[in-house]
Amino acid sequence: MEIFFWCLLGLLLCGYFALAGYDYGVGLLLRAVGRDEPERRRALGSVGPFFLGNEVWLVAAVGLLFGAFPLLEGKVFKQNYLVVVAMLLGLITFTAAVQLRSRRPGAGRGSWDLLVTGGALVTTAAWGVFFGNLVRGLPATGPVPVADPFSLLWGLGFVALFALHGANFLAVRGDAALAAKGRSLARRLVPLVAVWVAVVAGWTALSPIMSTVDRAWPALLVLAAAVAALAVTWLGSPRVALAGSMVLAVLPVVLAGTLRFPYLLLSLDISQSAASPGTLRLLTFVAVPAVAVVVLVQWLTWRANRRPVGDRTLLHF
């Protein structure tokens, strides 16, 4: 039962990064792809129908973490306290700025655009530091260092990764001008993400990190998947490239969830961190239908809004 909920938690986090990741990417690139207000509105309008639905995956993941792994939730959030606070501030800033910037027609929006880009930057960088800490391994007690070079490398890599994801999304759902800019930016960002993957792989292999895990094959499989996804993103059509960057976006979750399993922290395994069997059985009746509804609604939303934005598209933001 614990393994089932661990996989379900991983599925929700993968859905969040694959879908909300392009929201943050478009936010990071907002001023690069939009030279004037109409272009920026169309860029934000491309993510508009999916924006709030994408965030539901994170809400569901955090709820499942609280319900199924209460001990793990307390330790992970406490040890990454400053990172989590920065992540929440960035997330709130980004979400509020995207929804409020266009409420007053004719008003200046330069400050709102800075908040959109700044919020996306802080959110993605904080997620990168957070997952860098998970991959390195959390100690049994005490906070993890925020300015550690390995974690900062993950933070910078996440910014490049989600910018690539946003560029690929604009190449698929933007109008002709936005799509061209998205393809151009993606071509420039793929080598940057490839360098980040290579540096992280080399650093992880040569550092004491691998001496704290029982097996290396999860890291090797994730590296192979990353190389394949980068190749697909570079060579494929815009829709194939978007699928490739989705795979890249979820690989940190896969790596963090499998590298040292069943030990979730360096001294805490999955059975010690999970809720009681009775609680998990009760949670099954709630979590499984809820996840099925989230997946169904997300698929229907994409089916209804999969075409590029145009002059007759309703712009939500």
Side-chain angles (χ1 to χ4, degrees):
M1 189 67 80
E2 294 92 345
I3 294 177
F4 169 76
F5 278 101
W6 187 244
C7 294
L8 192 61
L9 178 61
L11 173 66
L12 291 171
L13 286 174
C14 285
Y16 167 66
F17 281 114
L19 299 171
Y22 58 68
D23 295 345
Y24 304 136
V26 172
L28 289 169
L29 300 174
L30 183 62
R31 297 178 72 86
V33 298
R35 286 177 298 181
D36 52 28
E37 173 59 17
E39 283 189 332
R40 292 175 188 172
R41 281 213 70 191
R42 288 199 300 277
L44 292 175
S46 67
V47 302
F50 318 105
F51 186 75
L52 294 179
N54 293 343
E55 301 294 335
V56 169
W57 292 80
L58 177 61
V59 175
V62 172
L64 186 65
L65 179 64
F66 275 70
F69 302 101
L71 186 56
L72 177 67
E73 162 266 319
K75 287 184 175 294
V76 169
F77 286 170
K78 181 179 179 180
Q79 290 181 296
N80 286 283
Y81 178 74
L82 292 177
V83 179
V84 172
V85 168
M87 185 192 307
L88 291 176
L89 289 175
L91 188 58
I92 293 170
T93 301
F94 174 71
T95 305
V98 167
Q99 297 187 75
L100 295 176
R101 71 178 294 282
S102 302
R103 290 299 178 92
R104 293 181 60 190
R109 287 163 185 152
S111 298
W112 288 115
D113 293 342
L114 288 176
L115 290 175
V116 169
T117 302
L121 179 65
V122 171
T123 303
T124 52
W127 271 120
V129 171
F130 184 81
F131 270 88
N133 289 337
L134 293 183
V135 170
R136 184 180 51 195
L138 297 178
T141 59
V144 295
V146 177
D148 178 79
F150 183 77
S151 300
L152 291 179
L153 173 65
W154 274 78
L156 294 174
F158 261 49
V159 173
L161 172 60
F162 288 111
L164 170 63
H165 198 20
N168 282 330
F169 183 80
L170 288 174
V172 171
R173 198 158 189 276
D175 58 16
L178 283 174
K181 291 179 181 179
R183 288 194 295 271
S184 175
L185 284 168
R187 297 289 289 183
R188 282 181 276 172
L189 287 165
V190 168
L192 191 61
V193 175
V195 169
W196 172 64
V197 170
V199 173
V200 166
W203 193 325
T204 304
L206 298 175
S207 70
I209 294 174
M210 296 307 295
S211 66
T212 63
V213 302
D214 296 331
R215 55 197 182 279
W217 62 264
L220 295 175
L221 286 180
V222 167
L223 178 60
V227 172
L230 282 166
V232 166
T233 305
W234 179 260
L235 298 173
S237 65
R239 285 183 179 272
V240 174
L242 179 60
S245 61
M246 281 184 170
V247 172
L248 285 169
V250 307
L251 287 179
V253 179
V254 178
L255 180 63
T258 59
L259 187 60
R260 60 189 77 249
F261 187 85
Y263 287 93
L264 311 182
L265 307 182
L266 293 182
S267 61
L268 181 70
D269 66 23
I270 189 170
S271 60
Q272 294 170 322
S273 64
S276 66
T279 301
L280 293 180
R281 282 194 295 273
L282 180 62
L283 195 58
T284 303
F285 294 102
V286 179
V288 173
V291 172
V293 170
V294 169
V295 172
L296 177 62
V297 171
Q298 197 80 47
W299 180 75
L300 292 174
T301 304
W302 173 254
R303 289 284 300 172
N305 299 278
R306 63 186 185 279
R307 299 185 183 282
V309 292
D311 294 336
R312 302 180 64 181
T313 302
L314 174 64
L315 299 180
H316 293 71
F317 305 121

